[in-house]
């Protein structure tokens, strides 16, 4: 399983969860974790201890 986390527009981690695949993680991100389609949220995936950009709502700068 891979570990995913969601960061709010202030780059604070608001939730972390594990999924078997990226499709389920994306559905979780866009349908549950991002309130009403708000802008500036980002999802990252843990790859061998390194958090990497996975997806982002429009409206914020990406560090990844």
């Amino acid at each position: 399983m891979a570990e995913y986390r969601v960061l709010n527009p202030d780059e604070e981690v608001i939730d972390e969860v594990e999924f078997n695949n990226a499709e389920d993680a994306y559905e979780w991100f866009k349908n549950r974790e991002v309130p009403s389609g708000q802008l500036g949220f980002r999802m990252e995936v843990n790859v061998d201890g390194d958090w990497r950009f996975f997806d982002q709502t429009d409206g914020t700068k990406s560090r990844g």
Side-chain angles (χ1 to χ4, degrees):
M1 283 189 147
E3 185 179 12
Y4 296 86
R5 68 182 184 184
V6 175
L7 287 80
N8 67 16
D10 295 324
E11 297 196 11
E12 300 166 331
V13 176
I14 60 169
D15 205 356
E16 291 185 26
V17 71
E18 291 184 357
F19 286 102
N20 287 322
N21 60 65
E23 291 83 14
D24 289 345
Y26 181 71
E27 289 298 317
W28 165 74
F29 174 67
K30 74 174 192 173
N31 293 322
R32 181 161 181 241
E33 288 300 318
V34 179
S36 304
Q38 289 181 6
L39 300 178
F41 285 77
R42 182 174 72 242
M43 182 168 55
E44 296 178 334
V45 61
N46 188 340
V47 178
D48 298 325
D50 183 31
W51 287 101
R52 297 186 185 175
F53 168 78
F54 184 77
D55 200 359
Q56 155 181 334
T57 58
D58 292 340
T60 189
K61 297 177 184 173
S62 172
R63 293 180 301 150

